[in-house]
mmCIF file of all heavy atoms in Angstrom:
data_model
loop_
_atom_site.group_PDB
_atom_site.id
_atom_site.type_symbol
_atom_site.label_atom_id
_atom_site.label_comp_id
_atom_site.label_asym_id
_atom_site.label_seq_id
_atom_site.Cartn_x
_atom_site.Cartn_y
_atom_site.Cartn_z
ATOM 1 N N ALA A 188 -10.850 15.648 -3.976
ATOM 2 C CA ALA A 188 -10.246 15.360 -5.256
ATOM 3 C C ALA A 188 -8.732 15.256 -5.097
ATOM 4 O O ALA A 188 -8.128 15.977 -4.327
ATOM 5 C CB ALA A 188 -10.614 16.453 -6.268
ATOM 6 N N GLY A 189 -8.147 14.337 -5.826
ATOM 7 C CA GLY A 189 -6.691 14.145 -5.763
ATOM 8 C C GLY A 189 -6.243 13.082 -4.811
ATOM 9 O O GLY A 189 -5.043 12.775 -4.720
ATOM 10 N N MET A 190 -7.183 12.491 -4.029
ATOM 11 C CA MET A 190 -6.880 11.374 -3.133
ATOM 12 C C MET A 190 -7.684 10.161 -3.589
ATOM 13 O O MET A 190 -8.680 10.268 -4.290
ATOM 14 C CB MET A 190 -7.272 11.710 -1.691
ATOM 15 C CG MET A 190 -6.618 12.908 -1.084
ATOM 16 S SD MET A 190 -7.164 13.126 0.656
ATOM 17 C CE MET A 190 -6.547 14.755 0.990
ATOM 18 N N GLN A 191 -7.260 8.981 -3.121
ATOM 19 C CA GLN A 191 -8.043 7.773 -3.369
ATOM 20 C C GLN A 191 -7.805 6.779 -2.248
ATOM 21 O O GLN A 191 -6.778 6.768 -1.597
ATOM 22 C CB GLN A 191 -7.701 7.181 -4.732
ATOM 23 C CG GLN A 191 -6.293 6.601 -4.822
ATOM 24 C CD GLN A 191 -5.973 6.011 -6.203
ATOM 25 O OE1 GLN A 191 -6.621 6.375 -7.185
ATOM 26 N NE2 GLN A 191 -5.006 5.131 -6.272
ATOM 27 N N TYR A 192 -8.787 5.910 -2.055
ATOM 28 C CA TYR A 192 -8.656 4.854 -1.043
ATOM 29 C C TYR A 192 -7.715 3.769 -1.528
ATOM 30 O O TYR A 192 -7.554 3.518 -2.727
ATOM 31 C CB TYR A 192 -10.021 4.252 -0.728
ATOM 32 C CG TYR A 192 -10.827 5.083 0.268
ATOM 33 C CD1 TYR A 192 -11.959 5.763 -0.114
ATOM 34 C CD2 TYR A 192 -10.391 5.167 1.577
ATOM 35 C CE1 TYR A 192 -12.701 6.527 0.786
ATOM 36 C CE2 TYR A 192 -11.135 5.928 2.508
ATOM 37 C CZ TYR A 192 -12.258 6.597 2.091
ATOM 38 O OH TYR A 192 -12.956 7.378 3.009
ATOM 39 N N ILE A 193 -7.054 3.140 -0.576
ATOM 40 C CA ILE A 193 -6.152 2.015 -0.827
ATOM 41 C C ILE A 193 -6.869 0.747 -0.396
ATOM 42 O O ILE A 193 -7.369 0.667 0.710
ATOM 43 C CB ILE A 193 -4.860 2.197 0.008
ATOM 44 C CG1 ILE A 193 -4.068 3.411 -0.461
ATOM 45 C CG2 ILE A 193 -3.989 0.933 -0.082
ATOM 46 C CD1 ILE A 193 -2.944 3.802 0.476
ATOM 47 N N ASP A 194 -6.887 -0.234 -1.286
ATOM 48 C CA ASP A 194 -7.597 -1.475 -0.944
ATOM 49 C C ASP A 194 -6.658 -2.634 -0.640
ATOM 50 O O ASP A 194 -7.103 -3.764 -0.457
ATOM 51 C CB ASP A 194 -8.566 -1.862 -2.077
ATOM 52 C CG ASP A 194 -7.876 -2.119 -3.425
ATOM 53 O OD1 ASP A 194 -6.613 -2.134 -3.450
ATOM 54 O OD2 ASP A 194 -8.588 -2.289 -4.410
ATOM 55 N N ASP A 195 -5.351 -2.351 -0.536
ATOM 56 C CA ASP A 195 -4.376 -3.438 -0.292
ATOM 57 C C ASP A 195 -4.657 -4.210 0.977
ATOM 58 O O ASP A 195 -4.353 -5.385 1.071
ATOM 59 C CB ASP A 195 -2.959 -2.850 -0.210
ATOM 60 C CG ASP A 195 -2.514 -2.155 -1.489
ATOM 61 O OD1 ASP A 195 -3.184 -1.172 -1.872
ATOM 62 O OD2 ASP A 195 -1.509 -2.587 -2.072
ATOM 63 N N PHE A 196 -5.212 -3.515 1.990
ATOM 64 C CA PHE A 196 -5.389 -4.167 3.300
ATOM 65 C C PHE A 196 -6.848 -4.505 3.604
ATOM 66 O O PHE A 196 -7.153 -4.940 4.721
ATOM 67 C CB PHE A 196 -4.848 -3.218 4.402
ATOM 68 C CG PHE A 196 -3.416 -2.825 4.184
ATOM 69 C CD1 PHE A 196 -3.095 -1.613 3.582
ATOM 70 C CD2 PHE A 196 -2.381 -3.672 4.543
ATOM 71 C CE1 PHE A 196 -1.770 -1.246 3.352
ATOM 72 C CE2 PHE A 196 -1.051 -3.332 4.312
ATOM 73 C CZ PHE A 196 -0.746 -2.118 3.739
ATOM 74 N N THR A 197 -7.713 -4.355 2.620
ATOM 75 C CA THR A 197 -9.132 -4.666 2.829
ATOM 76 C C THR A 197 -9.301 -6.127 3.198
ATOM 77 O O THR A 197 -8.779 -7.039 2.550
ATOM 78 C CB THR A 197 -9.903 -4.361 1.530
ATOM 79 O OG1 THR A 197 -9.703 -2.985 1.188
ATOM 80 C CG2 THR A 197 -11.407 -4.613 1.740
ATOM 81 N N ASN A 198 -9.999 -6.365 4.290
ATOM 82 C CA ASN A 198 -10.338 -7.716 4.796
ATOM 83 C C ASN A 198 -9.134 -8.491 5.370
ATOM 84 O O ASN A 198 -9.288 -9.638 5.778
ATOM 85 C CB ASN A 198 -11.022 -8.555 3.718
ATOM 86 C CG ASN A 198 -12.317 -7.964 3.243
ATOM 87 O OD1 ASN A 198 -13.042 -7.360 4.031
ATOM 88 N ND2 ASN A 198 -12.628 -8.121 1.957
ATOM 89 N N ALA A 199 -7.938 -7.865 5.390
ATOM 90 C CA ALA A 199 -6.784 -8.616 5.878
ATOM 91 C C ALA A 199 -6.905 -8.988 7.360
ATOM 92 O O ALA A 199 -6.319 -9.966 7.817
ATOM 93 C CB ALA A 199 -5.510 -7.807 5.647
ATOM 94 N N ARG A 200 -7.683 -8.200 8.145
ATOM 95 C CA ARG A 200 -7.825 -8.481 9.562
ATOM 96 C C ARG A 200 -9.114 -9.207 9.905
ATOM 97 O O ARG A 200 -9.466 -9.296 11.075
ATOM 98 C CB ARG A 200 -7.765 -7.138 10.344
ATOM 99 C CG ARG A 200 -6.447 -6.412 10.227
ATOM 100 C CD ARG A 200 -6.432 -5.143 11.041
ATOM 101 N NE ARG A 200 -5.293 -4.308 10.782
ATOM 102 C CZ ARG A 200 -4.328 -4.013 11.671
ATOM 103 N NH1 ARG A 200 -4.407 -4.479 12.902
ATOM 104 N NH2 ARG A 200 -3.320 -3.239 11.327
ATOM 105 N N HIS A 201 -9.794 -9.748 8.925
ATOM 106 C CA HIS A 201 -11.076 -10.386 9.172
ATOM 107 C C HIS A 201 -10.980 -11.840 9.576
ATOM 108 O O HIS A 201 -11.973 -12.486 9.847
ATOM 109 C CB HIS A 201 -11.967 -10.241 7.938
ATOM 110 C CG HIS A 201 -12.497 -8.851 7.760
ATOM 111 N ND1 HIS A 201 -13.418 -8.527 6.825
ATOM 112 C CD2 HIS A 201 -12.233 -7.703 8.408
ATOM 113 C CE1 HIS A 201 -13.707 -7.228 6.881
ATOM 114 N NE2 HIS A 201 -12.987 -6.715 7.852
ATOM 115 N N HIS A 202 -9.758 -12.401 9.592
ATOM 116 C CA HIS A 202 -9.606 -13.806 9.991
ATOM 117 C C HIS A 202 -9.874 -13.979 11.476
ATOM 118 O O HIS A 202 -9.585 -13.089 12.284
ATOM 119 C CB HIS A 202 -8.211 -14.300 9.676
ATOM 120 C CG HIS A 202 -7.855 -14.263 8.214
ATOM 121 N ND1 HIS A 202 -8.201 -15.286 7.351
ATOM 122 C CD2 HIS A 202 -7.220 -13.323 7.457
ATOM 123 C CE1 HIS A 202 -7.789 -14.986 6.127
ATOM 124 N NE2 HIS A 202 -7.192 -13.802 6.164
ATOM 125 N N ALA A 203 -10.404 -15.111 11.859
ATOM 126 C CA ALA A 203 -10.768 -15.366 13.261
ATOM 127 C C ALA A 203 -9.516 -15.585 14.104
ATOM 128 O O ALA A 203 -9.461 -15.180 15.268
ATOM 129 C CB ALA A 203 -11.687 -16.544 13.371
ATOM 130 N N ARG A 204 -8.485 -16.199 13.529
ATOM 131 C CA ARG A 204 -7.293 -16.550 14.287
ATOM 132 C C ARG A 204 -6.261 -15.431 14.196
ATOM 133 O O ARG A 204 -5.932 -14.968 13.106
ATOM 134 C CB ARG A 204 -6.682 -17.858 13.776
ATOM 135 C CG ARG A 204 -7.672 -19.026 13.801
ATOM 136 C CD ARG A 204 -6.988 -20.371 13.718
ATOM 137 N NE ARG A 204 -5.960 -20.475 12.689
ATOM 138 C CZ ARG A 204 -5.135 -21.487 12.558
ATOM 139 N NH1 ARG A 204 -5.229 -22.521 13.396
ATOM 140 N NH2 ARG A 204 -4.257 -21.531 11.587
ATOM 141 N N PRO A 205 -5.772 -14.962 15.364
ATOM 142 C CA PRO A 205 -4.809 -13.864 15.347
ATOM 143 C C PRO A 205 -3.597 -14.097 14.441
ATOM 144 O O PRO A 205 -3.132 -13.192 13.744
ATOM 145 C CB PRO A 205 -4.406 -13.736 16.810
ATOM 146 C CG PRO A 205 -5.576 -14.256 17.563
ATOM 147 C CD PRO A 205 -6.114 -15.372 16.726
ATOM 148 N N GLN A 206 -3.044 -15.305 14.453
ATOM 149 C CA GLN A 206 -1.876 -15.575 13.612
ATOM 150 C C GLN A 206 -2.215 -15.450 12.133
ATOM 151 O O GLN A 206 -1.388 -14.994 11.332
ATOM 152 C CB GLN A 206 -1.317 -16.965 13.923
ATOM 153 C CG GLN A 206 -0.558 -17.036 15.234
ATOM 154 C CD GLN A 206 0.154 -18.373 15.394
ATOM 155 O OE1 GLN A 206 0.134 -19.217 14.505
ATOM 156 N NE2 GLN A 206 0.786 -18.554 16.562
ATOM 157 N N ASP A 207 -3.434 -15.852 11.768
ATOM 158 C CA ASP A 207 -3.845 -15.702 10.376
ATOM 159 C C ASP A 207 -3.983 -14.237 10.002
ATOM 160 O O ASP A 207 -3.648 -13.816 8.876
ATOM 161 C CB ASP A 207 -5.179 -16.439 10.130
ATOM 162 C CG ASP A 207 -5.036 -17.944 10.227
ATOM 163 O OD1 ASP A 207 -3.874 -18.440 10.133
ATOM 164 O OD2 ASP A 207 -6.054 -18.626 10.373
ATOM 165 N N ARG A 208 -4.520 -13.415 10.949
ATOM 166 C CA ARG A 208 -4.610 -11.991 10.695
ATOM 167 C C ARG A 208 -3.209 -11.388 10.472
ATOM 168 O O ARG A 208 -2.988 -10.579 9.582
ATOM 169 C CB ARG A 208 -5.313 -11.274 11.861
ATOM 170 C CG ARG A 208 -6.784 -11.623 11.987
ATOM 171 C CD ARG A 208 -7.533 -10.585 12.807
ATOM 172 N NE ARG A 208 -7.098 -10.486 14.186
ATOM 173 C CZ ARG A 208 -7.590 -11.248 15.170
ATOM 174 N NH1 ARG A 208 -8.511 -12.171 14.920
ATOM 175 N NH2 ARG A 208 -7.155 -11.089 16.413
ATOM 176 N N LEU A 209 -2.291 -11.770 11.359
ATOM 177 C CA LEU A 209 -0.938 -11.236 11.259
ATOM 178 C C LEU A 209 -0.314 -11.590 9.900
ATOM 179 O O LEU A 209 0.262 -10.701 9.229
ATOM 180 C CB LEU A 209 -0.066 -11.817 12.374
ATOM 181 C CG LEU A 209 1.419 -11.495 12.319
ATOM 182 C CD1 LEU A 209 1.654 -9.980 12.452
ATOM 183 C CD2 LEU A 209 2.202 -12.242 13.401
ATOM 184 N N GLU A 210 -0.430 -12.807 9.477
ATOM 185 C CA GLU A 210 0.209 -13.216 8.222
ATOM 186 C C GLU A 210 -0.495 -12.575 7.012
ATOM 187 O O GLU A 210 0.162 -12.237 6.022
ATOM 188 C CB GLU A 210 0.258 -14.726 8.102
ATOM 189 C CG GLU A 210 1.156 -15.381 9.142
ATOM 190 C CD GLU A 210 2.541 -14.705 9.225
ATOM 191 O OE1 GLU A 210 3.138 -14.422 8.157
ATOM 192 O OE2 GLU A 210 3.006 -14.452 10.346
ATOM 193 N N ALA A 211 -1.817 -12.401 7.110
ATOM 194 C CA ALA A 211 -2.523 -11.731 6.013
ATOM 195 C C ALA A 211 -2.104 -10.287 5.886
ATOM 196 O O ALA A 211 -1.904 -9.767 4.763
ATOM 197 C CB ALA A 211 -4.041 -11.853 6.228
ATOM 198 N N VAL A 212 -1.952 -9.606 7.023
ATOM 199 C CA VAL A 212 -1.507 -8.214 6.993
ATOM 200 C C VAL A 212 -0.058 -8.117 6.530
ATOM 201 O O VAL A 212 0.284 -7.242 5.734
ATOM 202 C CB VAL A 212 -1.681 -7.570 8.390
ATOM 203 C CG1 VAL A 212 -0.971 -6.233 8.476
ATOM 204 C CG2 VAL A 212 -3.171 -7.394 8.690
ATOM 205 N N ARG A 213 0.783 -9.030 6.960
ATOM 206 C CA ARG A 213 2.184 -9.020 6.527
ATOM 207 C C ARG A 213 2.274 -9.181 5.012
ATOM 208 O O ARG A 213 3.023 -8.464 4.340
ATOM 209 C CB ARG A 213 2.962 -10.137 7.210
ATOM 210 C CG ARG A 213 4.486 -9.980 7.068
ATOM 211 C CD ARG A 213 5.231 -11.287 7.440
ATOM 212 N NE ARG A 213 4.838 -11.844 8.693
ATOM 213 C CZ ARG A 213 5.353 -11.525 9.866
ATOM 214 N NH1 ARG A 213 6.293 -10.603 9.934
ATOM 215 N NH2 ARG A 213 4.952 -12.126 10.972
ATOM 216 N N LYS A 214 1.509 -10.121 4.480
ATOM 217 C CA LYS A 214 1.506 -10.334 3.027
ATOM 218 C C LYS A 214 1.022 -9.102 2.296
ATOM 219 O O LYS A 214 1.596 -8.683 1.266
ATOM 220 C CB LYS A 214 0.647 -11.545 2.673
ATOM 221 C CG LYS A 214 0.607 -11.889 1.193
ATOM 222 C CD LYS A 214 -0.210 -13.123 0.927
ATOM 223 C CE LYS A 214 -0.259 -13.460 -0.556
ATOM 224 N NZ LYS A 214 -1.082 -14.663 -0.815
ATOM 225 N N ALA A 215 -0.063 -8.496 2.791
ATOM 226 C CA ALA A 215 -0.586 -7.274 2.156
ATOM 227 C C ALA A 215 0.443 -6.147 2.233
ATOM 228 O O ALA A 215 0.594 -5.378 1.275
ATOM 229 C CB ALA A 215 -1.892 -6.865 2.840
ATOM 230 N N ALA A 216 1.142 -6.052 3.370
ATOM 231 C CA ALA A 216 2.139 -4.988 3.522
ATOM 232 C C ALA A 216 3.311 -5.194 2.574
ATOM 233 O O ALA A 216 3.862 -4.235 2.025
ATOM 234 C CB ALA A 216 2.634 -4.954 4.964
ATOM 235 N N GLN A 217 3.710 -6.437 2.368
ATOM 236 C CA GLN A 217 4.784 -6.723 1.420
ATOM 237 C C GLN A 217 4.387 -6.319 -0.001
ATOM 238 O O GLN A 217 5.169 -5.720 -0.739
ATOM 239 C CB GLN A 217 5.152 -8.207 1.460
ATOM 240 C CG GLN A 217 5.877 -8.617 2.730
ATOM 241 C CD GLN A 217 5.974 -10.111 2.886
ATOM 242 O OE1 GLN A 217 5.243 -10.924 2.302
ATOM 243 N NE2 GLN A 217 6.912 -10.560 3.731
ATOM 244 N N GLY A 218 3.126 -6.609 -0.376
ATOM 245 C CA GLY A 218 2.638 -6.211 -1.674
ATOM 246 C C GLY A 218 2.559 -4.698 -1.829
ATOM 247 O O GLY A 218 2.928 -4.154 -2.881
ATOM 248 N N PHE A 219 2.095 -4.028 -0.774
ATOM 249 C CA PHE A 219 2.026 -2.576 -0.807
ATOM 250 C C PHE A 219 3.409 -1.988 -0.950
ATOM 251 O O PHE A 219 3.610 -1.050 -1.713
ATOM 252 C CB PHE A 219 1.343 -2.060 0.451
ATOM 253 C CG PHE A 219 1.280 -0.550 0.498
ATOM 254 C CD1 PHE A 219 0.276 0.158 -0.128
ATOM 255 C CD2 PHE A 219 2.264 0.164 1.191
ATOM 256 C CE1 PHE A 219 0.218 1.541 -0.096
ATOM 257 C CE2 PHE A 219 2.211 1.556 1.239
ATOM 258 C CZ PHE A 219 1.197 2.260 0.598
ATOM 259 N N ARG A 220 4.360 -2.505 -0.213
ATOM 260 C CA ARG A 220 5.736 -1.990 -0.290
ATOM 261 C C ARG A 220 6.292 -2.101 -1.713
ATOM 262 O O ARG A 220 6.875 -1.153 -2.242
ATOM 263 C CB ARG A 220 6.640 -2.744 0.699
ATOM 264 C CG ARG A 220 8.124 -2.411 0.514
ATOM 265 C CD ARG A 220 9.006 -3.067 1.547
ATOM 266 N NE ARG A 220 10.427 -2.942 1.170
ATOM 267 C CZ ARG A 220 11.123 -1.809 1.338
ATOM 268 N NH1 ARG A 220 10.567 -0.765 1.859
ATOM 269 N NH2 ARG A 220 12.403 -1.781 1.003
ATOM 270 N N GLU A 221 6.111 -3.241 -2.320
ATOM 271 C CA GLU A 221 6.588 -3.448 -3.680
ATOM 272 C C GLU A 221 5.984 -2.430 -4.646
ATOM 273 O O GLU A 221 6.651 -1.854 -5.520
ATOM 274 C CB GLU A 221 6.314 -4.882 -4.147
ATOM 275 C CG GLU A 221 7.130 -5.912 -3.393
ATOM 276 C CD GLU A 221 6.680 -7.336 -3.716
ATOM 277 O OE1 GLU A 221 5.811 -7.502 -4.630
ATOM 278 O OE2 GLU A 221 7.167 -8.280 -3.049
ATOM 279 N N ARG A 222 4.708 -2.198 -4.504
ATOM 280 C CA ARG A 222 4.031 -1.221 -5.352
ATOM 281 C C ARG A 222 4.476 0.200 -5.040
ATOM 282 O O ARG A 222 4.728 0.988 -5.943
ATOM 283 C CB ARG A 222 2.510 -1.338 -5.187
ATOM 284 C CG ARG A 222 1.701 -0.301 -5.969
ATOM 285 C CD ARG A 222 0.206 -0.536 -5.908
ATOM 286 N NE ARG A 222 -0.341 -0.250 -4.580
ATOM 287 C CZ ARG A 222 -0.591 0.975 -4.133
ATOM 288 N NH1 ARG A 222 -0.305 2.033 -4.870
ATOM 289 N NH2 ARG A 222 -1.124 1.142 -2.944
#
C-alpha cells in the first residue's frame, strides 16, 4: 500500500529497430520528467 506502478515506459522497448526503441524511450522519459 502507498506505492503504484508507473506506465510511462510500458511497451517503449518493444520496437524491433534499436533506434526506434531509443527514440520511444527518450520520448517517454521526457514526458515522465515533465510530470
Side-chain angles (χ1 to χ4, degrees):
M190 302 182 192
Q191 67 181 22
Y192 278 110
I193 295 169
D194 61 8
D195 299 60
F196 304 98
T197 302
N198 298 326
R200 297 182 190 244
H201 286 187
H202 297 276
R204 304 198 313 172
Q206 286 188 3
D207 292 342
R208 291 200 296 273
L209 174 63
E210 294 312 315
V212 168
R213 194 195 311 272
K214 181 178 179 180
Q217 289 169 339
F219 177 84
R220 171 176 168 78
E221 292 172 7
R222 177 174 70 78

